[in-house]
Amino acid sequence: MKQFMNFIGGEFVATTRTFENRAPVDNRVIGKVHEAGKDEVDAAVRAARAALTGEWGRMSVTRRVELLHAVADEINRRFDDFLAAEMADTGKPHALASHVDIPRGAANFKVFADIVKNVPTESFEMTTPDGGQAINYAVRSPLGVIGVVCPWNLPLLLMTWKVGPALACGNTVVVKPSEETPATATLLGEVMNAVGIPPGVYNVVHGFGPDSAGEFLTKHPGVDGITFTGETRTGEAIMGAAAKGVRPVSFELGGKNAGIVFADADFDKAVAGITRSAFENCGQVCLGTERVYVQRPIFEKFVAALKAKAEALKPGPSEEAGVGLGPLISREHQQKVLSYYDKAVKEGATVVTGGGVPKMAGALAEGHWVQPTIWTGLPETASVIREEIFGPCCHIAPFDTEEEAIALANATDYGLATTVWTENLGCAHRVARQVQVGICWVNSWFLRDLRTAFGGAKSSGIGREGGVHSLEFYTELRNVCIKL
Ligand code: NAD
């Protein structure tokens, strides 16, 4: 049985309180996670504080950049270990984890190290009232100890997306991985030690949210800023915790994203794109599409084509050939998604495909599987159109005009992402400027250039990360004014 321990000050720390880590594919117990209490969280924050004033705090940017490249190289050297850990924790297909989760997890260290190495600060000259001169220049300082609270859907990728820039900027971190996916954050501790990252720079505390490591960390007065990815409701709780001491937050929260398909779209590409955005990672992607709006002339044809694609997705364990759909993360999440499948029917949906649990053989029958599901015929007020489900499902509705499609896409409290499919350049630009989201993809989805801004509008987040935008959260600018 694997033991997932906390990583504090460069050492793996066991606790007496443990909880089970289960494999989503068959619900078997695969490990014991050592839950951090207040003492462990306090020790991790103190280790992170000490590292800020130690070797790490004094290190040149050049050396820091070298070390972060070494972290990425070591993740790639141990690619198979990270891949196995991520697949065991999430049950996601091998093709997805090996092409997205692990390589992007490693890349996050290199990309942000290079940005920090190359980004300039500002400088201004001024004349003074006495006829003299002064110069101003800005110095970037790390924010300090960063609390990093992570979700389970893309565990390594989303955690390093925060830890990469935080460390590149000279901060230290205490990471609270999701209770569902403790493995890769723990493994990263080994990598940090192997390449010589000083103790205390990267710390991991395991546990849950309320009255556990998540709450202890976000309420800890020694944490200077909190970066969080997860549900909007959790973000509200963390924001309350961060209010004490007026500590800054960076939030990437939930979504209820629209896909808009115009009649002039390249039909096959649009169908393939929405198949990915609705069903990839079993629908457990914050950027995923749960509301699809299709222009009326191609509506019936589109619904039939997406149905065929959904039915062709083969559910199965990560390593099995041809598998296109993994399980949901947990029994609890499976129950939540299935409750929405029931609600859709009760609210009058036409179930185009799916709506239940697929038949799985042997031990897999105990896994957290659900069928990819498509609905039509619901009013915009229906629960499955208003609320984030985070499963492999979408509702498809017809629209007539560009203005109508924009209004439908915007009629939500969320504002994370939209995917628009059209061959009309003018239409693409007009829609992209009017949808109230952090990211609008045109003829694509989840195509990420890490130098660009990422974040959510409305209830989908606060702040932007990515490229130089990450520096705005992970550093503080100090202006130095010199009278000549
Ligand atoms: P979640 O909010 O339930 O949990 C996220 C993390 O917060 C976990 O580590 C959890 O233990 C911790 N937590 C929970 N309550 C807490 C509290 N009171 N104080 C401190 N920590 C607490 O989210 P999840 O179920 O892990 O992830 C799915 C959600 O994340 C979805 O809503 C999805 O849209 C969102 N998400 C958003 C993005 C984005 O970039 N916007 C990316 C991925 C996931």
Side-chain angles (χ1 to χ4, degrees), residues 149-154 158 161 176-180 207-216 218 228-235 237-238 241 251-255 284-287 329 333 336 388 390 414 416 454-456 460-461:
V149 183
C150 307
W152 44 257
N153 59 331
L154 297 150
L158 290 176
W161 162 250
K176 211 300 279 171
S178 168
E179 53 274 35
E180 305 287 355
F208 304 86
D211 201 29
S212 183
E215 184 180 326
F216 303 152
T218 51
F228 166 71
T229 307
E231 280 188 29
T232 299
R233 240 178 318 141
T234 312
I238 292 178
F251 283 172
E252 290 165 12
L253 307 176
Q284 302 165 115
V285 182
C286 53
L287 307 159
I329 192 70
H333 191 49
K336 177 185 161 185
E388 184 186 46
F390 224 52
Y414 292 106
L416 192 53
F454 182 87
S460 289

Side-chain angles (χ1 to χ4, degrees), residues 255-450:
K256 188 70 188 177
N257 311 300
I260 304 175
V261 184
F262 285 93
D264 67 10
D266 180 316
F267 186 81
D268 292 342
K269 285 186 185 155
V271 171
I274 299 289
T275 303
R276 276 187 66 225
S277 70
F279 306 127
E280 190 157 283
N281 207 33
C282 202
Q284 302 165 115
V285 182
C286 53
L287 307 159
T289 307
E290 291 186 353
R291 302 182 292 140
V292 185
Y293 300 103
V294 179
Q295 210 162 19
R296 206 171 299 273
I298 61 163
F299 179 76
E300 299 295 342
K301 186 177 164 204
F302 188 90
V303 172
L306 198 69
K307 173 181 190 291
K309 288 278 191 193
E311 289 172 358
L313 286 171
K314 177 182 161 194
S318 309
E319 299 278 13
E320 199 173 298
V323 161
L325 199 76
L328 293 171
I329 192 70
S330 63
R331 177 76 75 222
E332 189 190 348
H333 191 49
Q334 183 196 34
Q335 295 309 323
K336 177 185 161 185
V337 172
L338 290 174
S339 77
Y340 276 105
Y341 285 14
D342 286 347
K343 241 185 234 179
V345 173
K346 283 195 188 109
E347 293 184 18
T350 300
V351 181
V352 175
T353 186
V357 176
K359 252 199 172 23
M360 304 298 289
L364 294 179
E366 295 300 313
H368 316 132
W369 309 93
V370 293
Q371 289 174 323
T373 295
I374 301 172
W375 306 287
T376 56
L378 283 170
E380 288 296 302
T381 49
S383 313
V384 299
I385 298 181
R386 302 254 60 84
E387 296 164 27
E388 184 186 46
I389 302 169
F390 224 52
C393 52
C394 63
H395 179 264
I396 317 183
F399 72 89
D400 293 301
T401 66
E402 192 178 306
E403 293 70 27
E404 189 190 353
I406 294 165
L408 285 164
N410 286 340
T412 168
D413 293 338
Y414 292 106
L416 192 53
T418 301
T419 171
V420 180
W421 295 83
T422 177
E423 293 296 297
N424 178 335
L425 205 55
C427 167
H429 284 289
R430 283 191 301 273
V431 175
R433 278 160 185 261
Q434 290 178 77
V435 283
Q436 296 155 349
V437 290
I439 290 195
C440 179
W441 277 291
V442 176
N443 296 334
S444 58
W445 176 75
F446 207 170
L447 186 58
R448 288 280 299 125
D449 182 327
L450 300 184

Side-chain angles (χ1 to χ4, degrees), residues 35-224:
E35 184 179 358
K38 280 190 176 154
D39 288 348
E40 287 77 25
V41 171
D42 188 50
V45 174
R46 277 188 286 114
R49 174 73 49 203
L52 273 179
T53 50
E55 183 192 353
W56 181 250
R58 294 191 299 272
M59 193 176 280
S60 69
V61 174
T62 311
R63 179 65 187 141
R64 208 157 73 208
V65 165
E66 277 170 13
L67 276 179
L68 294 176
H69 273 256
V71 169
D73 292 341
E74 182 68 4
I75 294 173
N76 284 327
R77 195 185 68 76
R78 296 190 60 184
F79 193 92
D80 291 346
D81 296 340
F82 276 92
L83 185 60
E86 206 73 304
M87 290 191 309
D89 264 0
T90 62
K92 63 179 73 189
H94 181 278
L96 184 62
S98 61
H99 283 101
V100 178
D101 294 72
I102 310 306
R104 282 273 305 277
N108 282 333
F109 285 100
K110 288 196 177 172
V111 168
F112 288 104
D114 292 343
I115 286 169
V116 164
K117 194 167 137 189
N118 291 309
V119 75
T121 56
E122 63 186 21
S123 170
F124 293 100
E125 290 181 22
M126 66 186 285
T127 50
T128 55
D130 62 2
Q133 278 192 314
I135 55 169
N136 293 274
Y137 68 92
V139 179
R140 271 188 200 285
S141 311
L143 187 56
V145 176
I146 310 285
V148 184
V149 183
C150 307
W152 44 257
N153 59 331
L154 297 150
L156 181 72
L157 189 159
L158 290 176
M159 186 257 290
T160 56
W161 162 250
K162 308 293 196 167
V163 171
L167 298 191
C169 291
N171 300 282
T172 58
V173 296
V174 181
V175 175
K176 211 300 279 171
S178 168
E179 53 274 35
E180 305 287 355
T181 51
T184 45
T186 313
L187 205 47
L188 191 58
E190 292 179 20
V191 166
M192 295 290 174
N193 281 349
V195 305
I197 295 280
V201 170
Y202 172 81
N203 305 275
V204 179
V205 289
H206 288 299
F208 304 86
D211 201 29
S212 183
E215 184 180 326
F216 303 152
L217 177 63
T218 51
K219 285 195 170 161
H220 197 293
V223 170
D224 298 304

Side-chain angles (χ1 to χ4, degrees), residues 461-480:
I462 296 180
R464 295 290 180 273
E465 295 196 30
V468 294
H469 308 284
S470 291
L471 307 191
E472 279 159 33
F473 180 71
Y474 295 106
T475 63
E476 272 183 328
L477 276 182
R478 179 182 314 127
N479 186 63
V480 180

